[in-house]
Amino acid sequence: MGRSELTEEFETGLFRHPNGRVFIRCEFNPEEPVWIDVSGDSWSATYGGTQQVFDWSKIDASPKLISSLQDILKDRLRTNSPFYLSRCGLSLRKFFRISTDMGLVLGDSFALLDTPSFLEIWSNLTSFDRSLIRSIYVECAEKNIAGADYGLAQEIKDWKARNDVVQLRDVVQWNPEQGAFTSAEWEIVRGFLEKWNPDEHPHIIASKIFGRIMTETLKRPSQIWAMPKNALWEVPSSDGPNEYFLRIPKAKFQTGARPGVWQITESLGRAIKEYSQIPAIRILQERVNRLAVLPGRQGTPRWVQHGQVDSHSGRTCLRTLVRNARLISPRTGEVINLTPYRIRHTGGTAMALQGIPREQIQEILEHDSPFTCDAYIQAVGSDLVPALEKATDRGVGEVFAILSEAYFFKGTITADIGKKAITIPTVNLHEPSVDAPPMPAVVGGCRKQGACTKHPFWACYNGCPYFLAWKDADHRKSLDYVESELTRWGKAEGGRERSKLSKDFDRIAASIQEVVQQVEAVKGDAAE
């Protein structure tokens, strides 16, 4: 349906079709406005590869009260995401169902609502429902409609929609089915996605391309599916391989902003070009003006009628791909559960492991709030250490043992430590000395030219490429030192602070253990 078919009613701001249907122009994304059909009881719109519907006939309220609510939502739908349409329907149905179950028949207005009854309804709503219902009630009170009480509206403004700030639990708890992948799982997934040939079914090739774009950009699946067919940008180079970039639309509250430009590897850039030459892919790209498409295994896929691949189809294609290939997780012994959000969780956790600041993680993952990224930072630390130790008898540092060494020790094992020695106080937890002061022990050296601004010992083991780990040093004494410092600081700090400290200590211990293993390997090779 085009704009030319509609006539704008300037008094209401609505648009009318010659067949009598009435529409709202939703400019959540000004570059791609969506027409929302608000005719009759069933409001609907096609957006994000799915049909968004709000059926007012399922709301247990009087026509007069429904009319007031419709007026409010018509204004909101002009600027909110079309997803808001179906979410409003679910929340309002729940609100009126709960009030009815309480024996509270609202009739034509909210006049019967008081603080106790509103609080009882509130306790049975989700955080999103609470925020939505509160905002509607407050707006009704401010406009003096639907019998909403202004005093009650001011009171509920101070109520917390969330009982507490809930982190991404699957991430923080390293859920083996929903949280971040371990490095071993990650390498299996990436290696599989990067292997494809033109003889494979276009559906399989498209699924792998979608997965690869996600692993390199870490964007939301809705952003990947929304890329226009010309989103790939190739920059020629005169002295090396060409560079490739993707123009990726924004999502959520950033929708409508200028698309971000994200560099991808030459390998992926070439793969996308080859993928776009496959006839079944190219036909769909031309039809829906999308770079990432998903051919059906038989006939035209259902998502085409909605203009782009929907989130459910995207999740299903990755899961089916891995299930058919029988990719087994070394951690669970079961088929890997590959989902778009596990890929994002893994990328966020990997960045946190490398010490990337929260704000930069937020920028890459495009979260609306930097505090959402705390889940990734929490996941690499010791909020879960006690549980893991209890379940596996692991000690300090062992929580990270399954992760790649690339995250931690990045120095060199050597017999020559140079002129800049790195020392630690000698601490032996297993054979403690009697009132003897700690004696320094040399664990390595530094090959950096000039002054080093990082903390000696801690930064050395923790990923510094200039660290020369002495192969003849007893690095287990470094572990003793870390454990003693953890105990000392643990007694001095409490609660949240202790959790933060434990993360740092545990990560350093994992690095030291990696050095111990590499030293033993070097000595073993020399003995042979």
Side-chain angles (χ1 to χ4, degrees):
M1 179 186 63
R3 168 67 178 85
S4 60
E5 303 177 66
L6 301 173
T7 301
E8 184 174 6
E9 298 177 345
F10 292 100
E11 288 187 6
T12 63
L14 301 176
F15 294 78
R16 189 173 295 276
H17 193 272
N19 64 11
R21 303 202 71 79
V22 179
F23 295 85
I24 291 173
R25 178 185 172 97
C26 172
E27 296 189 354
F28 177 66
N29 181 356
E31 294 185 0
E32 295 185 7
V34 175
W35 295 101
I36 301 177
D37 187 342
V38 294
S39 309
D41 288 335
S42 183
W43 292 7
S44 63
T46 297
Y47 183 73
T50 57
Q51 189 79 356
Q52 307 300 318
V53 179
F54 183 169
D55 188 350
W56 287 95
S57 66
K58 295 183 179 180
I59 301 295
D60 188 14
S62 70
K64 183 176 180 180
L65 182 53
I66 285 179
S67 177
S68 298
L69 296 175
Q70 287 178 336
D71 289 340
I72 287 177
L73 290 191
K74 283 176 183 177
D75 286 337
R76 295 187 177 195
L77 288 171
R78 290 186 173 92
T79 54
N80 278 282
S81 163
F83 286 128
Y84 189 74
L85 178 65
S86 53
R87 293 300 300 272
C88 284
L90 293 173
S91 296
L92 285 171
R93 282 176 61 185
K94 187 181 300 184
F95 173 82
F96 284 102
R97 188 191 72 243
I98 294 171
S99 64
T100 300
D101 291 345
M102 292 168 47
L104 185 66
V105 180
L106 295 177
D108 291 338
S109 71
F110 291 125
L112 293 180
L113 278 176
D114 56 15
T115 300
S117 59
F118 208 126
L119 189 58
E120 185 173 348
I121 297 174
W122 182 272
S123 66
N124 290 284
L125 298 174
T126 67
S127 59
F128 179 87
D129 296 333
R130 291 172 177 177
S131 295
L132 177 66
I133 297 300
R134 174 172 55 191
S135 68
I136 290 176
Y137 187 88
V138 169
E139 186 171 347
C140 286
E142 290 175 345
K143 292 182 176 180
N144 195 26
I145 61 174
D149 181 73
Y150 187 79
L152 178 57
Q154 295 305 305
E155 181 179 349
I156 64 176
K157 277 184 178 181
D158 296 328
W159 294 0
K160 290 185 177 180
R162 290 187 178 185
N163 293 327
D164 54 13
V165 178
V166 180
Q167 296 286 0
L168 300 173
R169 289 193 181 95
D170 291 333
V171 176
V172 175
Q173 297 177 1
W174 287 81
N175 185 302
E177 290 296 323
Q178 303 297 334
F181 294 116
T182 63
S183 60
E185 292 171 325
W186 188 233
E187 289 307 312
I188 290 173
V189 168
R190 290 183 61 184
F192 171 71
L193 293 177
E194 290 173 3
K195 293 178 182 178
W196 64 280
N197 62 72
D199 295 330
E200 291 181 309
H201 192 283
H203 181 91
I204 295 177
I205 294 174
S207 298
K208 288 185 175 180
I209 288 293
F210 168 58
R212 288 187 65 181
I213 293 175
M214 286 225 55
T215 61
E216 290 202 14
T217 66
L218 301 178
K219 300 307 173 192
R220 294 181 176 86
S222 61
Q223 294 177 266
I224 306 301
W225 296 124
M227 290 188 298
K229 66 181 182 181
N230 63 350
L232 180 66
W233 178 25
E234 182 178 3
V235 180
S237 174
S238 59
D239 57 353
N242 291 351
E243 293 185 302
Y244 293 87
F245 300 83
L246 285 174
R247 299 182 182 92
I248 303 179
K250 300 292 185 179
K252 300 186 81 171
F253 292 108
Q254 301 173 36
T255 298
R258 183 189 298 273
V261 179
W262 300 90
Q263 187 166 15
I264 58 176
T265 61
E266 179 193 10
S267 171
L268 177 55
R270 290 182 178 276
I272 292 175
K273 291 181 64 177
E274 294 177 24
Y275 142 92
S276 297
Q277 294 304 311
I278 298 172
I281 302 289
R282 189 169 63 251
I283 290 172
L284 287 174
Q285 288 177 331
E286 294 292 335
R287 183 171 177 177
V288 299
N289 187 31
R290 292 293 185 266
L291 176 67
V293 295
L294 198 59
R297 292 187 177 275
Q298 293 182 343
T300 303
R302 187 178 300 175
W303 62 261
V304 171
Q305 63 183 310
H306 301 306
Q308 72 178 50
V309 178
D310 59 282
S311 298
H312 175 73
S313 297
R315 288 193 302 271
T316 301
C317 79
L318 290 182
R319 284 175 169 166
T320 303
L321 190 68
V322 169
R323 184 173 64 247
N324 291 342
R326 296 292 300 170
L327 296 188
I328 303 300
S329 163
R331 177 164 48 153
T332 66
E334 304 291 338
V335 173
I336 291 174
N337 180 33
L338 178 60
T339 67
Y341 284 96
R342 288 199 76 185
I343 292 175
R344 279 171 59 83
H345 294 339
T346 302
T349 304
M351 287 187 283
L353 281 164
Q354 296 173 39
I356 294 177
R358 183 175 62 184
E359 288 72 19
Q360 289 184 28
I361 297 176
Q362 176 200 7
E363 180 180 358
I364 293 172
L365 295 179
E366 297 188 276
H367 283 303
D368 295 316
S369 168
F371 300 106
T372 306
C373 301
D374 283 346
Y376 305 116
I377 298 171
Q378 294 285 338
V380 305
S382 63
D383 285 315
L384 199 58
V385 168
L388 285 174
E389 287 179 343
K390 182 177 180 181
T392 63
D393 293 326
R394 288 175 172 177
V396 65
E398 293 297 324
V399 174
F400 298 120
I402 197 168
L403 296 172
S404 171
E405 66 188 62
Y407 289 132
F408 301 110
F409 174 66
K410 296 181 180 179
T412 305
I413 305 297
T414 181
D416 182 10
I417 62 173
K419 297 180 179 179
K420 296 181 179 180
I422 305 296
T423 63
I424 60 163
T426 300
V427 177
N428 192 327
L429 299 181
H430 310 293
E431 298 177 6
S433 58
V434 180
D435 298 327
M439 297 299 292
V442 176
V443 293
C446 178
R447 62 183 176 85
K448 179 178 175 63
Q449 300 297 320
C452 177
T453 58
K454 299 182 179 298
H455 193 293
F457 176 76
W458 299 101
C460 297
Y461 281 105
N462 195 20
C464 179
Y466 300 108
F467 180 42
L468 301 172
W470 188 23
K471 74 178 184 65
D472 293 325
D474 185 357
H475 293 278
R476 288 184 177 83
K477 292 188 183 302
S478 295
L479 273 177
D480 287 343
Y481 176 57
V482 170
E483 291 180 12
S484 68
E485 287 294 282
L486 174 59
T487 300
R488 182 170 70 85
W489 281 99
K491 291 178 180 179
E493 302 282 353
R496 186 175 181 86
E497 291 76 14
R498 181 181 299 183
S499 171
K500 301 295 185 184
L501 287 166
S502 296
K503 293 181 185 60
D504 297 332
F505 285 118
D506 203 77
R507 179 173 171 174
I508 294 296
S511 304
I512 297 170
Q513 289 176 343
E514 181 60 38
V515 172
V516 171
Q517 294 173 10
Q518 290 194 33
V519 167
E520 290 175 348
V522 169
K523 289 182 177 179
D525 293 340
E528 293 178 1

